[in-house]
Amino acid sequence: LEDKVAKIKHKISNFGEINPMAVEAFDEMKKRYDFIQEQKKDLIDAKVVLEKTIKEIEDTAKEMFMSAFNKVRENFIKVFRTLFTEDDKCDLILEDEDNPLESKIEIIAKPKGKRPTVIDQLSGGEKTLTATALLFSLYLLKPAPFCIFDEVDAPLDDTNIDKFNNIIQKFSDKSQFIIVTH
């Protein structure tokens, strides 16, 4: 027993001086640790709330985009067939339907008697009428008080100019059009 007491006294003497400030230092470190833990918890909670908010915004944006896209698509088909003929084929297609907000939109325009694989294979007049159909399909979604066209009729022949003029007259009761020509 005396040997054990001697060993313990020897161990105690090897510890060295006792720091009377150790308890205060520990309390200060504990306070800082608790503060950091609380801040970490706040950040994690904020991250969860932000992720939820982002998800809600993305869902709302996706829903609004798809609604607008479908209306524009319907309008595009109607206006395109007004500028061309009822037998012509056209469409707007999302390349990635699972991710519509990041997806490219493919424009399909196939006037009767032609089977272009890409829109670049259309004539200048056909491209102009297709672009006009797309513009008016967007216009129908949210009409503007006035529209300005700059030399839109340049690549059009007389027949297509008449079609363009007819569509302008059709929409002129809702908007004012300024058309710059040659």
Side-chain angles (χ1 to χ4, degrees):
L1 194 61
E2 285 179 6
D3 284 342
K4 281 185 178 180
V5 170
K7 285 180 183 179
I8 290 173
K9 283 184 179 180
H10 182 66
K11 283 182 182 179
I12 289 175
S13 65
N14 283 340
F15 281 147
E17 298 264 338
I18 294 177
N19 182 358
M21 302 298 286
V23 173
E24 289 176 13
F26 173 79
D27 290 342
E28 190 176 309
M29 294 291 274
K30 173 88 168 96
K31 214 185 250 186
R32 178 78 177 142
Y33 174 79
D34 292 343
F35 175 76
I36 290 173
Q37 288 299 95
E38 186 178 318
Q39 294 295 313
K40 179 182 173 185
K41 182 186 175 301
D42 288 347
L43 287 174
I44 290 170
D45 292 345
K47 178 184 173 189
V48 168
V49 169
L50 281 174
E51 287 174 344
K52 181 180 175 189
T53 303
I54 289 170
K55 175 81 169 105
E56 288 174 7
I57 290 170
E58 284 178 349
D59 290 345
T60 303
K62 183 178 178 180
E63 190 176 304
M64 290 175 69
F65 173 81
M66 288 306 297
S67 173
F69 176 79
N70 289 327
K71 288 176 186 171
V72 168
R73 184 175 174 255
E74 291 171 14
N75 293 338
F76 177 67
I77 292 169
K78 287 177 191 171
V79 175
F80 185 87
R81 289 184 176 157
T82 301
L83 291 171
F84 289 90
T85 66
E86 284 295 321
D87 297 331
D88 294 328
K89 293 188 172 46
C90 65
D91 207 350
L92 298 176
I93 298 174
L94 289 173
E95 290 184 2
D96 182 6
E97 291 185 22
D98 295 333
N99 191 10
L101 298 178
E102 302 293 326
S103 177
K104 292 181 180 181
I105 299 172
E106 183 179 354
I107 301 170
I108 296 173
K110 296 182 179 183
K112 188 176 179 184
K114 291 190 172 188
R115 294 292 164 234
T117 54
V118 291
I119 204 161
D120 288 340
Q121 293 176 334
L122 297 174
S123 69
E126 291 167 335
K127 287 179 189 175
T128 300
L129 288 179
T130 301
T132 302
L134 184 59
L135 284 172
F136 276 102
S137 65
L138 293 168
Y139 166 84
L140 286 169
L141 182 67
K142 188 169 184 184
F146 62 90
C147 298
I148 301 173
F149 290 100
D150 185 16
E151 294 189 26
V152 71
D153 61 342
L156 300 176
D157 59 14
D158 289 339
T159 305
N160 289 330
I161 287 175
D162 288 340
K163 290 179 182 179
F164 177 75
N165 288 337
N166 288 337
I167 201 163
I168 292 293
Q169 286 176 348
K170 184 178 178 182
F171 292 107
S172 63
D173 62 332
K174 297 176 186 166
S175 295
Q176 295 182 20
F177 292 93
I178 299 172
I179 302 171
V180 180
T181 65
H182 295 319

